[in-house]
Amino acid sequence: MKPCYDIAPKILKLISVISERIGEVNANYLSKQSHQLRKENRIKKIHSSLQIEGNTLTEEQITALIENRRVIGPKKEVLEVLNAIKVYENLNEYKFSSNKSFLNVHLELMHGLIDSAGKYRKQGVGIVKGTKVEHIAPPHENVPYLMNDLFKYLKDSDELTLIKSCVFHYEMEFIHPFLDGNGRMGRLWQTVV
């Protein structure tokens, strides 16, 4: 089932602006992208995605970990970065429309961090901000079906890839398929798409 949304004039305008910027980036950087630029981009992606989740390691510490140097920091945060490095190094190997690939990436990204890595949640969850419940995710029994529908949308849609990646990210965060790692998986998978 296709997710329910409309492409309003404002969205079309934003798509145009984003497409122009992507064209500029492609013209200026990607045609002559160096190994160093790819490395810097990967470091920034890992740093910003994990920082949102509360990871305090710096870009310099992430760089050191990529270069197989020791860093001093909380063990859990170092493991989060090491897992992310492994996942981001293999971005081109993931099949964006594959539920199985999605679960395997979650397993790698959350390895050693949670017991249920690579598995959809088996309980209800909600998002609380302060003392207010912001979102109650769909019942866990529905998660496999909702995610299958979402991957069918990625396979069969005639939509622009940019739209598909945004819709996937929004819908996946709404479904909240995992006990932990939803934010970083949503950001990562949007990149994969």
Side-chain angles (χ1 to χ4, degrees), residues 8 12 32-33 45 51 53-54 56 65 70 77 80 92 108 118-119 153 155 163 180 191 193:
L12 285 174
K32 50 192 170 209
Q33 188 179 30
K45 278 183 188 176
Q51 188 178 41
E53 304 296 329
T56 61
L65 288 169
R70 273 188 62 177
E77 293 183 16
E80 286 176 338
N92 294 332
E108 288 181 38
K119 297 177 185 146
Y153 164 72
K155 286 179 189 170
I163 297 288
D180 193 15
T191 300
V193 175

mmCIF file of all heavy atoms in Angstrom, residues 8 12 32-33 45 51 53-54 56 65 70 77 80 92 108 118-119 153 155 163 180 191 193:
data_model
loop_
_atom_site.group_PDB
_atom_site.id
_atom_site.type_symbol
_atom_site.label_atom_id
_atom_site.label_comp_id
_atom_site.label_asym_id
_atom_site.label_seq_id
_atom_site.Cartn_x
_atom_site.Cartn_y
_atom_site.Cartn_z
ATOM 1 N N ALA A 8 2.421 18.909 -2.772
ATOM 2 C CA ALA A 8 1.888 20.264 -2.878
ATOM 3 C C ALA A 8 2.861 21.148 -3.661
ATOM 4 O O ALA A 8 4.037 20.795 -3.824
ATOM 5 C CB ALA A 8 1.669 20.834 -1.478
ATOM 6 N N LEU A 12 7.023 20.794 -4.497
ATOM 7 C CA LEU A 12 7.642 20.828 -5.830
ATOM 8 C C LEU A 12 8.725 21.904 -5.901
ATOM 9 O O LEU A 12 9.794 21.683 -6.482
ATOM 10 C CB LEU A 12 6.584 21.079 -6.904
ATOM 11 C CG LEU A 12 5.697 19.882 -7.235
ATOM 12 C CD1 LEU A 12 4.594 20.294 -8.201
ATOM 13 C CD2 LEU A 12 6.517 18.745 -7.815
ATOM 14 N N LYS A 32 35.176 14.991 -9.225
ATOM 15 C CA LYS A 32 36.590 14.941 -8.856
ATOM 16 C C LYS A 32 36.752 14.660 -7.362
ATOM 17 O O LYS A 32 37.661 15.169 -6.721
ATOM 18 C CB LYS A 32 37.269 16.234 -9.251
ATOM 19 C CG LYS A 32 36.561 17.487 -8.791
ATOM 20 C CD LYS A 32 37.118 18.722 -9.442
ATOM 21 C CE LYS A 32 36.194 19.896 -9.125
ATOM 22 N NZ LYS A 32 36.161 20.909 -10.071
ATOM 23 N N GLN A 33 35.833 13.863 -6.842
ATOM 24 C CA GLN A 33 35.835 13.584 -5.407
ATOM 25 C C GLN A 33 37.073 12.782 -5.017
ATOM 26 O O GLN A 33 37.382 11.768 -5.618
ATOM 27 C CB GLN A 33 34.571 12.832 -5.017
ATOM 28 C CG GLN A 33 34.416 12.677 -3.530
ATOM 29 C CD GLN A 33 33.143 11.945 -3.161
ATOM 30 O OE1 GLN A 33 32.675 11.116 -3.922
ATOM 31 N NE2 GLN A 33 32.610 12.241 -1.995
ATOM 32 N N LYS A 45 28.946 12.591 8.662
ATOM 33 C CA LYS A 45 27.673 11.865 8.738
ATOM 34 C C LYS A 45 27.566 11.067 10.037
ATOM 35 O O LYS A 45 26.550 11.098 10.720
ATOM 36 C CB LYS A 45 27.519 10.900 7.552
ATOM 37 C CG LYS A 45 27.039 11.512 6.289
ATOM 38 C CD LYS A 45 26.871 10.425 5.244
ATOM 39 C CE LYS A 45 26.576 11.004 3.895
ATOM 40 N NZ LYS A 45 26.496 9.978 2.856
ATOM 41 N N GLN A 51 25.508 12.147 17.269
ATOM 42 C CA GLN A 51 25.392 13.269 18.199
ATOM 43 C C GLN A 51 23.919 13.515 18.546
ATOM 44 O O GLN A 51 23.591 13.801 19.700
ATOM 45 C CB GLN A 51 26.013 14.524 17.579
ATOM 46 C CG GLN A 51 26.113 15.689 18.541
ATOM 47 C CD GLN A 51 26.788 16.887 17.904
ATOM 48 O OE1 GLN A 51 26.544 17.211 16.745
ATOM 49 N NE2 GLN A 51 27.650 17.549 18.669
ATOM 50 N N GLU A 53 21.783 11.343 18.879
ATOM 51 C CA GLU A 53 21.422 10.290 19.826
ATOM 52 C C GLU A 53 22.125 10.441 21.176
ATOM 53 O O GLU A 53 21.989 9.590 22.046
ATOM 54 C CB GLU A 53 21.755 8.914 19.229
ATOM 55 C CG GLU A 53 21.109 8.637 17.888
ATOM 56 C CD GLU A 53 19.593 8.587 17.938
ATOM 57 O OE1 GLU A 53 19.040 8.192 18.986
ATOM 58 O OE2 GLU A 53 18.959 8.969 16.936
ATOM 59 N N GLY A 54 22.931 11.498 21.335
ATOM 60 C CA GLY A 54 23.577 11.751 22.614
ATOM 61 C C GLY A 54 25.031 11.319 22.690
ATOM 62 O O GLY A 54 25.654 11.418 23.741
ATOM 63 N N THR A 56 28.851 11.662 22.564
ATOM 64 C CA THR A 56 29.673 12.851 22.810
ATOM 65 C C THR A 56 31.042 12.809 22.130
ATOM 66 O O THR A 56 31.813 13.763 22.268
ATOM 67 C CB THR A 56 29.888 13.044 24.330
ATOM 68 O OG1 THR A 56 30.575 11.897 24.854
ATOM 69 C CG2 THR A 56 28.565 13.243 25.053
ATOM 70 N N LEU A 65 39.324 6.689 15.322
ATOM 71 C CA LEU A 65 38.781 5.326 15.253
ATOM 72 C C LEU A 65 38.803 4.796 13.822
ATOM 73 O O LEU A 65 39.106 3.621 13.597
ATOM 74 C CB LEU A 65 37.366 5.290 15.831
ATOM 75 C CG LEU A 65 37.295 5.440 17.360
ATOM 76 C CD1 LEU A 65 35.858 5.662 17.811
ATOM 77 C CD2 LEU A 65 37.900 4.228 18.051
ATOM 78 N N ARG A 70 43.576 4.368 19.069
ATOM 79 C CA ARG A 70 42.817 4.306 20.319
ATOM 80 C C ARG A 70 42.277 5.678 20.680
ATOM 81 O O ARG A 70 42.922 6.691 20.416
ATOM 82 C CB ARG A 70 43.704 3.820 21.451
ATOM 83 C CG ARG A 70 43.753 2.325 21.561
ATOM 84 C CD ARG A 70 44.474 1.923 22.802
ATOM 85 N NE ARG A 70 43.747 2.424 23.983
ATOM 86 C CZ ARG A 70 44.100 2.189 25.207
ATOM 87 N NH1 ARG A 70 45.162 1.484 25.458
ATOM 88 N NH2 ARG A 70 43.397 2.659 26.217
ATOM 89 N N GLU A 77 29.778 4.516 23.646
ATOM 90 C CA GLU A 77 29.864 5.496 22.566
ATOM 91 C C GLU A 77 30.920 5.109 21.538
ATOM 92 O O GLU A 77 30.729 5.310 20.334
ATOM 93 C CB GLU A 77 30.120 6.886 23.143
ATOM 94 C CG GLU A 77 28.930 7.394 23.952
ATOM 95 C CD GLU A 77 29.110 8.808 24.482
ATOM 96 O OE1 GLU A 77 30.004 9.533 23.993
ATOM 97 O OE2 GLU A 77 28.329 9.178 25.387
ATOM 98 N N GLU A 80 29.324 2.454 19.463
ATOM 99 C CA GLU A 80 28.375 3.056 18.518
ATOM 100 C C GLU A 80 29.105 3.575 17.283
ATOM 101 O O GLU A 80 28.667 3.347 16.149
ATOM 102 C CB GLU A 80 27.619 4.224 19.176
ATOM 103 C CG GLU A 80 26.577 3.821 20.170
ATOM 104 C CD GLU A 80 25.930 5.013 20.868
ATOM 105 O OE1 GLU A 80 26.531 6.111 20.908
ATOM 106 O OE2 GLU A 80 24.817 4.836 21.380
ATOM 107 N N ASN A 92 27.230 1.082 -0.226
ATOM 108 C CA ASN A 92 26.880 0.672 -1.595
ATOM 109 C C ASN A 92 26.426 -0.783 -1.704
ATOM 110 O O ASN A 92 25.890 -1.190 -2.719
ATOM 111 C CB ASN A 92 28.058 0.922 -2.545
ATOM 112 C CG ASN A 92 28.350 2.397 -2.692
ATOM 113 O OD1 ASN A 92 27.461 3.227 -2.560
ATOM 114 N ND2 ASN A 92 29.599 2.724 -2.941
ATOM 115 N N GLU A 108 24.021 -4.854 12.397
ATOM 116 C CA GLU A 108 25.403 -4.355 12.420
ATOM 117 C C GLU A 108 25.505 -3.046 13.200
ATOM 118 O O GLU A 108 26.430 -2.851 13.985
ATOM 119 C CB GLU A 108 25.913 -4.128 10.996
ATOM 120 C CG GLU A 108 26.201 -5.394 10.232
ATOM 121 C CD GLU A 108 26.716 -5.114 8.834
ATOM 122 O OE1 GLU A 108 27.495 -4.152 8.651
ATOM 123 O OE2 GLU A 108 26.329 -5.847 7.915
ATOM 124 N N GLY A 118 18.696 -6.121 14.949
ATOM 125 C CA GLY A 118 18.313 -6.831 13.730
ATOM 126 C C GLY A 118 16.934 -7.441 13.772
ATOM 127 O O GLY A 118 16.556 -8.186 12.876
ATOM 128 N N LYS A 119 16.155 -7.111 14.814
ATOM 129 C CA LYS A 119 14.804 -7.675 14.947
ATOM 130 C C LYS A 119 13.809 -6.558 15.222
ATOM 131 O O LYS A 119 14.102 -5.618 15.973
ATOM 132 C CB LYS A 119 14.761 -8.667 16.114
ATOM 133 C CG LYS A 119 15.665 -9.862 15.914
ATOM 134 C CD LYS A 119 15.643 -10.756 17.128
ATOM 135 C CE LYS A 119 16.654 -11.878 16.922
ATOM 136 N NZ LYS A 119 17.274 -12.282 18.139
ATOM 137 N N TYR A 153 6.539 -0.130 -1.418
ATOM 138 C CA TYR A 153 6.476 1.234 -1.955
ATOM 139 C C TYR A 153 7.821 1.616 -2.571
ATOM 140 O O TYR A 153 7.866 2.179 -3.667
ATOM 141 C CB TYR A 153 6.084 2.219 -0.849
ATOM 142 C CG TYR A 153 6.359 3.664 -1.184
ATOM 143 C CD1 TYR A 153 5.580 4.344 -2.114
ATOM 144 C CD2 TYR A 153 7.398 4.354 -0.570
ATOM 145 C CE1 TYR A 153 5.843 5.667 -2.420
ATOM 146 C CE2 TYR A 153 7.660 5.672 -0.870
ATOM 147 C CZ TYR A 153 6.878 6.332 -1.808
ATOM 148 O OH TYR A 153 7.141 7.650 -2.115
ATOM 149 N N LYS A 155 10.015 -0.341 -3.870
ATOM 150 C CA LYS A 155 10.242 -1.135 -5.082
ATOM 151 C C LYS A 155 9.380 -0.687 -6.251
ATOM 152 O O LYS A 155 9.848 -0.611 -7.377
ATOM 153 C CB LYS A 155 9.937 -2.613 -4.817
ATOM 154 C CG LYS A 155 10.959 -3.325 -4.012
ATOM 155 C CD LYS A 155 10.537 -4.766 -3.794
ATOM 156 C CE LYS A 155 11.458 -5.437 -2.801
ATOM 157 N NZ LYS A 155 10.967 -6.736 -2.386
ATOM 158 N N ILE A 163 11.759 11.946 -3.212
ATOM 159 C CA ILE A 163 10.469 11.831 -2.519
ATOM 160 C C ILE A 163 10.406 10.497 -1.776
ATOM 161 O O ILE A 163 10.015 10.437 -0.610
ATOM 162 C CB ILE A 163 9.288 11.944 -3.505
ATOM 163 C CG1 ILE A 163 9.260 13.320 -4.167
ATOM 164 C CG2 ILE A 163 7.968 11.621 -2.830
ATOM 165 C CD1 ILE A 163 8.843 14.440 -3.261
ATOM 166 N N ASP A 180 15.321 0.320 19.803
ATOM 167 C CA ASP A 180 16.325 1.384 19.811
ATOM 168 C C ASP A 180 17.008 1.404 18.453
ATOM 169 O O ASP A 180 17.102 0.382 17.773
ATOM 170 C CB ASP A 180 17.354 1.125 20.921
ATOM 171 C CG ASP A 180 18.232 2.330 21.203
ATOM 172 O OD1 ASP A 180 17.879 3.456 20.767
ATOM 173 O OD2 ASP A 180 19.272 2.172 21.865
ATOM 174 N N THR A 191 19.811 7.909 3.308
ATOM 175 C CA THR A 191 21.018 8.012 2.499
ATOM 176 C C THR A 191 21.122 6.836 1.536
ATOM 177 O O THR A 191 21.465 6.999 0.362
ATOM 178 C CB THR A 191 22.267 8.066 3.406
ATOM 179 O OG1 THR A 191 22.178 9.207 4.260
ATOM 180 C CG2 THR A 191 23.550 8.150 2.594
ATOM 181 N N VAL A 193 18.697 5.046 0.255
ATOM 182 C CA VAL A 193 17.703 5.218 -0.816
ATOM 183 C C VAL A 193 18.189 6.278 -1.784
ATOM 184 O O VAL A 193 18.126 6.111 -2.989
ATOM 185 C CB VAL A 193 16.316 5.589 -0.255
ATOM 186 C CG1 VAL A 193 15.338 5.893 -1.381
ATOM 187 C CG2 VAL A 193 15.764 4.486 0.634
#
